[in-house]
Amino acid sequence: MTDHDLQLPDQALTLTNATSIPLLGFGTWQITGDDAVRATTAALEAGYRHLDTATVYGNEAEVGRALAESGVAREDVFVTTKCPPGRAGRELETLRESLDLLRTDHVDLWLIHWSGRGSTNVDMWRAFVEAREQGLAREIGVSNFDAALIDELTDATGVRPAIDQIEWSPLLFDAGTLQEHRERDVAVEGYSALRGGTLDHPAIVAIADRLGRTPAQVIIRWHLQHEVVVIPKSAHPERIRSNADVGGFALAEEDMATLDALGGR
């Protein structure tokens, strides 16, 4: 299969500050060093235009190098990074370090990576709002937050997170969680979709076999049809390309219902 054979999805969501985020992104968790450069390069060559990294991943420099050397215009790629709560009080300093490593003057999305204790979340969120006002981050959001924590930020500042990045897959599907986010106009972004036994689950494998697709492609397509952002990760170029090749088919309503029903089992 050549890159020209790939059928990438062109779906995107518009976030709170009118920024468009591609529903399909490339995740880089646990990919470091030269592997991160190679994998990110392969993703960009395959057509991904959304890259996800974080301060704690230790690979921002490699992701930034791959993007800078790719020949793809910076404005054509949506870049996300994240700040851990351990950097509370040093948020803007942390972001500027990330920008230097990523070789850019702004990120498209900056997330609080997980929740802190006490007033940490609200204090960090105020710094995140300042970063957006300064143009250092086009959109700001959270990761691993529940609806109550999201409300706390919104109530304290009047600014709601654009997105919440949470662990998500057919095996973790919860219609209530989706509804809570949509009631708040907070987009959902899923991570670790291809972990936790999803690739071997008999129901997912059966759908994939019937459609002539891989289980990973079925899972990614399921996210897209729910309008949930998905960031599959791989260090293998062929798998990176295969995971992007999800624009040429759709899951039937019955298949979507079958996958949704796996949640909580």
Side-chain angles (χ1 to χ4, degrees):
M1 180 173 63
T2 68
D3 291 344
H4 297 293
D5 296 323
L6 296 181
Q7 291 185 276
L8 275 77
D10 59 2
Q11 295 154 276
L13 291 178
T14 301
L15 300 179
T16 55
N17 210 27
T19 306
S20 179
I21 181 173
L23 280 180
L24 176 66
F26 180 66
T28 64
W29 178 56
Q30 292 185 323
I31 310 177
T32 57
D34 289 342
D35 286 342
V37 178
R38 285 190 289 265
T40 305
T41 297
L44 292 167
E45 288 176 346
Y48 291 80
R49 292 297 179 262
H50 170 187
L51 304 174
D52 180 273
T53 182
T55 292
V56 299
Y57 293 175
N59 63 12
E60 288 172 310
E62 289 77 14
V63 171
R65 174 186 160 192
L67 177 55
E69 295 176 354
S70 69
V72 179
R74 168 66 185 90
E75 60 266 25
D76 292 338
V77 181
F78 190 100
V79 177
T80 299
T81 195
K82 313 177 194 78
C83 180
R87 296 292 186 99
R90 296 179 291 146
E91 297 90 351
L92 295 182
E93 175 189 340
T94 299
L95 178 55
R96 290 189 177 97
E97 290 172 358
S98 292
L99 296 179
D100 286 344
L101 293 169
L102 288 164
R103 306 190 195 188
T104 185
D105 61 1
H106 73 281
V107 289
D108 299 283
L109 178 63
W110 192 34
L111 305 178
I112 300 178
H113 204 156
W114 60 88
S115 62
R117 296 181 178 178
S119 66
T120 298
N121 296 328
V122 170
D123 292 342
M124 289 189 75
W125 191 241
R126 295 188 195 280
F128 271 57
V129 173
E130 182 181 346
R132 193 182 73 175
E133 291 173 349
Q134 291 183 18
L136 301 177
R138 295 175 70 193
E139 300 278 359
I140 51 176
V142 294
S143 181
N144 301 300
F145 275 52
D146 60 21
L149 289 173
I150 289 171
D151 288 344
E152 181 183 37
L153 301 184
T154 306
D155 292 346
T157 64
V159 177
R160 71 176 182 274
I163 203 164
D164 186 13
Q165 188 179 116
I166 58 177
E167 189 173 5
W168 196 249
S169 78
L171 304 187
L172 298 173
F173 178 75
D174 182 341
T177 296
L178 274 187
Q179 182 64 24
E180 287 177 339
H181 284 76
R182 287 176 176 160
E183 287 173 351
R184 291 161 174 77
D185 199 21
V186 175
V188 174
E189 179 171 8
Y191 69 82
S192 293
L194 308 182
R195 293 166 58 86
T198 56
L199 297 178
D200 301 319
H201 193 284
I204 296 173
V205 171
I207 292 171
D209 287 348
R210 176 163 46 79
L211 296 176
R213 294 285 176 168
T214 67
Q217 288 171 334
V218 168
I219 294 164
I220 293 164
R221 186 73 222 173
W222 173 83
H223 282 72
L224 301 181
Q225 290 181 218
H226 272 302
E227 293 193 319
V228 171
V229 181
V230 59
I231 46 173
K233 179 210 79 173
S234 178
H236 305 286
E238 187 58 35
R239 205 167 299 152
I240 290 168
R241 289 190 290 270
S242 175
N243 289 346
D245 190 21
V246 292
F249 77 106
L251 296 172
E253 288 184 15
E254 312 89 81
D255 291 335
M256 291 293 291
T258 295
L259 295 172
D260 290 355
L262 300 179
R265 290 189 179 181

